[in-house]
Amino acid sequence: MTQLSLSDIVSCISGYDPHAMTVERAQAVIREFIHPIEAVEKLPIRSALSRVLAQDIVSRIDVPAHDNSAMDGYALRGEDLAEGRELRLQIIGEVHAGDRFTGQVGPGQCVRIMTGAPMPAGCDTVIPQELTVDADQSAVTVPPGRVRAGDNRRLRGEDLALGSVALPRGRILRPSDIGLLASLGVAEIPVQRRLRVAFFSTGDELRSVGEPLDPGCVYDSNRYTLYGMLTRLGCDIIDMGVVRDDPVAMEAAFRSACEHADAVITSGGVSVGAADYTKQTMTKLGDMLFWKIGMRPGRPMAFGRIASQDRGAYLFGLPGNPVAVMVSFYFFVRDALLRMSGADASPLPRLQATSLSAIRKKPGRTEYQRGILAPDSDGVWKVKLTGAQGSGILRSMSDANCIIVLDDAQGDVAAGDPVQVVLFDGLI
Ligand code: AMP
Ligand code: MG
């Protein structure tokens, strides 16, 4: 696939202004520029959980492989069921799951059958045991109106038909999917190799856990939130620590990062007026854009591709503030990394909830407020702010269970207004 340059991509955007990007435009540029990596590995089924399927999986068998019973009961011929009349059937055999009944079932006859057992030849209906009366060893009575022809029979191939696509490439494999693969008897699964993502923090004020906290310094938390988010996304990570604001150290770090990883994420040093060498070095090594995005938290962000020694990597230069890092990751980087890994990245679902908080909001930028969503006593879902929403207040992310997304056009929100939320946790 040919890699378009960033200038080719942005030249197609009418009125492109790096200092006034909307969230949607920035997302669109990233989406256009990113290509999936092409590297496949084969894994045993269990190890494929949460990995990205690299090829369509076509079923080589019918699942189930034969018509079978959905109930414990009696298999019978649907045509024997006479309207409004009781039916006394002769029991000519018994069949369990994993067995086969080889005889022929004639008019007025039935076979005792267990759930999952193949339907005997000639039978198309099962009457559950509890709907029958007067059963003994040799005969059973089917009262009128209890079953219709075809009831309680699972059809061959009704789960997966031979030759059909059981799972499409790009699927991030879930528990149900690995079960489905097992039901097809597929032992080895082609998956995309994991993305390798390198990251480091920039800022001379940063200290790493384990070091003393000098006056005026802060502990580096971004490498931990990034570690967490990347791990949850299934990436292999390369944590490069804190890189000093020194041109030599900075260039060495960027070169090493892009020689070893598919994507590089940095935090700090991309805001306007940043005295750091971060932006300078990014520009020197690659095709980069520096944006001011109409969003809060967030706003400054660098995006592009850098190269060293014939090895290249996509680069996301995130802001330094801890909440801004997380929000920028979730709303820009996450989708990009999923695409790079070949995953089918559908948009994050948004739900509507009633805001319990009044929220001040200027139109013209997208805001990502941290919220706590819970049902009220009537079961109606309500959301309130976590408290102070500063972009340095990481506690607001820890306290939250969702992000309240206030789109560009939105103005102030009054208590009782509907708002959109993106949940942190899902079922699977
Ligand atoms: P910057 O974008 O470099 O101007 O940083 C903005 C703010 O985020 C400053 O208060 C930094 O001290 C803070 N900051 C930058 N990087 C980190 C980090 N890795 N961990 C915690 N705070 C950070
Ligand atoms: Mg800084």
Side-chain angles (χ1 to χ4, degrees), residues 201-202 205-206 218-222 267-269 271 319-322:
S201 298
T202 69
E205 77 281 24
L206 302 178
V218 291
Y219 280 121
D220 174 6
S221 56
N222 290 344
S267 71
S271 31
N321 275 307

Side-chain angles (χ1 to χ4, degrees), residues 171-396:
R171 168 69 80 113
I172 298 173
L173 295 169
R174 306 183 305 196
S176 54
D177 300 329
I178 63 169
L180 200 67
L181 290 163
S183 78
L184 294 174
V186 180
E188 289 218 304
I189 318 298
V191 296
Q192 301 269 11
R193 81 153 163 75
R194 286 185 196 278
L195 280 189
R196 285 194 277 274
V197 182
F199 58 92
F200 57 87
S201 298
T202 69
D204 285 345
E205 77 281 24
L206 302 178
R207 293 293 174 271
S208 293
V209 171
E211 291 174 358
L213 194 61
D214 298 321
C217 292
V218 291
Y219 280 121
D220 174 6
S221 56
N222 290 344
R223 269 164 50 227
Y224 289 82
T225 50
L226 281 169
Y227 161 84
M229 295 186 291
L230 289 165
T231 302
R232 284 283 180 96
L233 213 54
C235 301
D236 279 339
I237 57 163
I238 307 172
D239 181 346
M240 299 178 61
V242 175
V243 175
R244 272 176 303 118
D245 192 22
D246 157 283
V248 177
M250 200 59 89
E251 181 166 338
F254 276 113
R255 285 191 183 278
S256 169
C258 72
E259 285 162 23
H260 295 99
D262 305 302
V264 181
I265 301 176
T266 62
S267 71
V270 290
S271 31
V272 192
D276 327 46
Y277 288 102
T278 317
K279 284 163 65 175
Q280 227 171 288
T281 315
M282 290 177 176
T283 309
K284 178 174 172 187
L285 297 181
D287 184 13
M288 294 295 302
L289 297 173
F290 295 89
W291 289 328
K292 265 192 251 165
I293 304 174
M295 65 186 284
R296 201 159 97 158
R299 212 163 134 74
M301 188 166 107
F303 170 67
R305 194 171 166 83
I306 55 170
S308 175
Q309 308 270 16
D310 291 334
R311 303 283 299 271
Y314 295 102
L315 172 60
F316 301 88
L318 306 185
N321 275 307
V323 184
V325 166
M326 296 195 77
V327 166
S328 308
F329 183 94
Y330 285 131
F331 292 92
F332 296 103
V333 184
R334 177 185 173 277
D335 183 82
L337 294 181
L338 287 173
R339 276 170 202 281
M340 281 180 70
S341 66
D344 176 24
S346 37
L348 289 171
R350 288 188 185 187
L351 311 178
Q352 198 176 73
T354 304
S355 181
L356 290 170
S357 311
I359 308 173
R360 293 189 56 123
K361 158 78 170 60
K362 278 198 206 133
R365 67 181 183 212
T366 303
E367 291 195 9
Y368 300 93
Q369 308 255 350
R370 277 70 71 204
I372 300 170
L373 182 72
D376 69 8
S377 53
D378 296 326
V380 179
W381 288 84
K382 302 272 171 76
V383 65
K384 64 176 184 196
L385 293 180
T386 51
Q389 298 287 308
S391 65
I393 300 177
L394 191 52
R395 221 190 90 191
S396 66

